Amino acid sequence: MFRATSPTDGRTSGFTIIEVLIALAIVAVSVVAIGSVMSTNVRGVRSLEQHVTLMQTIRSIMATELPSHAKIGIGTWSGRTNDHQWRIDVGPMGEEWDASGSDVAWIPALVRIQVRSPSGAVTDLRTVRLMHGPSQQ
């Protein structure tokens, strides 16, 4: 006579406790790895947003606060814009650009713009701007 057996009868039906624990460990490691990648991405995005904000502030300061070519001179300016502290230092380009005693209309000046965000991040931009020579001032 035939004896009817169901697929769930016997030792091969289902998972053993070891197999379930291994599967859970693999899932847990995967979840932790995904969480680590997500937190790294969030930090990277936050850092990028902060950098973009600082660069936009520098661009705004260069457009509104930096004197024009005709009015720029050696000196320091500072202030606040949108909770960002800024400082502009204008100085001679270097000793090799010393034009004292000569009849030069324009000389290069080193312009350093430093911006500090409310969170404490600092960026420093250096550029060159022409200013009137000593005989023109």
Side-chain angles (χ1 to χ4, degrees), residues 15-88:
F15 296 106
T16 65
I17 192 74
I18 299 295
E19 292 169 332
V20 171
L21 289 175
I22 290 172
L24 285 175
I26 291 171
V27 168
V29 167
S30 300
V31 168
V32 167
I34 290 170
S36 174
V37 167
M38 293 299 291
S39 69
T40 301
N41 285 343
V42 167
R43 281 192 305 266
V45 166
R46 190 171 296 132
S47 173
L48 185 60
E49 286 174 347
Q50 188 177 52
H51 180 73
V52 167
T53 302
L54 285 170
M55 289 297 117
Q56 287 174 338
T57 302
I58 284 181
R59 176 177 261 180
S60 170
I61 290 168
M62 286 181 72
T64 60
E65 304 295 335
L66 192 61
S68 67
H69 292 289
K71 296 178 183 176
I72 196 167
I74 305 295
T76 300
W77 298 269
S78 62
R80 289 181 88 73
T81 302
N82 298 331
D83 294 331
H84 289 75
Q85 292 178 332
W86 56 266
R87 177 184 168 121
I88 301 172

Side-chain angles (χ1 to χ4, degrees), residues 10-11 13 18 31 38 45 49 79-80 99 104 111 128 132 136:
R11 292 186 54 93
S13 61
I18 299 295
V31 168
M38 293 299 291
V45 166
E49 286 174 347
R80 289 181 88 73
V104 177
V111 178
V128 176
H132 283 292
Q136 302 292 320

